């Protein structure tokens, strides 16, 4: 997977280095490498995937990802588990409280489409009916590695969004033109 460097040019000099870059690039790099996640554990997936992915063996922290207990400090919502219709308005409210830009990963069949409870009168058939989802992780439950892969895919998406935004700018205002 291609890793975009947060600088355009680096020259090593005795005792240090000179780096040229843009503020945009540094901010984007910082955002991508410090995804603080608001975990939304609603059922078994929360233990099977989310807790396991954050624990020692898989260790999400090594990607600069830290768990936050408040939506106001989070960039990423990881929805793990069955979203009931009773819980749905709370999920939406907490999503609305997150600052832009914000991202969502839906983990497991329940969050994706209702899972084994899709026929239940009480279960939402996918969290994307109330909030936009960036990456879906299939499985019941998915492996923690699948969540880590989803995080890499999200970073790829974030990078592409930034590139598209840059390429839509008029030529004479682009720093990379
Ligand atoms: S997808 Fe499976 S493991 Fe995950 S919350 Fe639903 S029933 Fe539980």
């Amino acid at each position: 997977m291609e890793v975009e460097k947060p600088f355009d040019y680096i020259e090593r000099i005795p005792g240090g280095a000179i780096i040229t870059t843009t503020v945009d690039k540094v901010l984007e790099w910082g955002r991508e490498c410090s995804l603080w996640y608001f975990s939304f554990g609603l059922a078994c997936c929360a233990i099977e995937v989310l807790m396991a992915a954050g624990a020692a063996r898989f260790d999400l922290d090594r990607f600069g990802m830290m768990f936050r207990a408040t939506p106001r400090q989070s960039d990423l919502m990881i929805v793990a588990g069955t979203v009931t219709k009773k819980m749905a308005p709370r999920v939406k409210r907490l999503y609305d409280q997150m600052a832009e830009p914000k991202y969502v990963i839906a983990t497991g069949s329940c969050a994706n489409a209702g899972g084994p409870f899709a026929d239940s009168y009480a279960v939402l058939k996918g969290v994307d009916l109330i909030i936009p989802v960036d990456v879906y992780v299939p499985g019941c439950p998915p492996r923690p590695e699948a969540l880590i892969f989803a995080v890499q895919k999200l970073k790829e998406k974030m990078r592409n969004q930034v590139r598209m935004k840059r390429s839509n700018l008029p030529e004479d205002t682009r720093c990379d033109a």
Side-chain angles (χ1 to χ4, degrees):
M1 189 177 294
E2 185 198 342
V3 177
E4 187 154 319
K5 296 190 184 82
F7 48 80
D8 298 317
Y9 176 75
I10 179 163
E11 179 159 338
R12 305 217 173 268
I13 55 170
I18 297 171
I19 289 172
T20 57
T21 184
T22 62
V23 174
D24 269 358
K25 273 198 173 177
V26 173
L27 292 179
E28 285 147 17
W29 173 74
R31 183 174 296 141
E32 191 190 302
C33 297
S34 61
L35 275 174
W36 288 8
Y37 61 103
F38 179 49
S39 69
F40 217 92
L42 297 165
C44 13
C45 267
I47 309 293
E48 301 278 352
V49 192
L50 199 51
M51 298 301 135
R57 182 161 177 207
F58 298 98
D59 192 13
L60 278 178
D61 289 26
R62 68 200 156 107
F63 299 106
M65 296 180 66
M66 281 168 56
F67 161 75
R68 305 306 297 165
T70 164
R72 293 178 182 85
Q73 296 169 356
S74 308
D75 316 292
L76 168 65
M77 178 185 264
I78 302 178
V79 184
T82 323
V83 187
T84 59
K85 287 182 181 163
K86 189 175 178 183
M87 197 62 185
R90 280 83 179 173
V91 177
K92 173 84 170 83
R93 180 182 302 174
L94 289 165
Y95 174 79
D96 289 342
Q97 287 175 354
M98 290 168 68
E100 293 281 357
K102 53 192 170 186
Y103 308 92
V104 177
I105 294 179
T107 307
S109 310
C110 282
N112 291 347
F117 314 108
D119 290 334
S120 165
Y121 69 93
V123 171
L124 205 65
K125 290 175 183 51
V127 72
D128 56 3
L129 293 174
I130 48 167
I131 56 175
V133 173
D134 295 284
V135 184
Y136 298 84
V137 186
C140 176
R143 290 279 310 161
E145 294 95 327
L147 177 59
I148 291 172
F149 183 67
V151 170
Q152 303 311 317
K153 283 286 162 199
L154 177 65
K155 290 185 179 194
E156 212 174 291
K157 186 174 178 178
M158 289 164 76
R159 243 171 270 142
N160 288 340
Q161 279 174 345
V162 169
R163 278 197 201 121
M164 277 169 63
K165 201 172 77 185
R166 258 196 231 130
S167 62
N168 284 339
L169 289 173
E171 280 285 323
D172 53 349
T173 59
R174 278 168 48 185
C175 302
D176 58 348

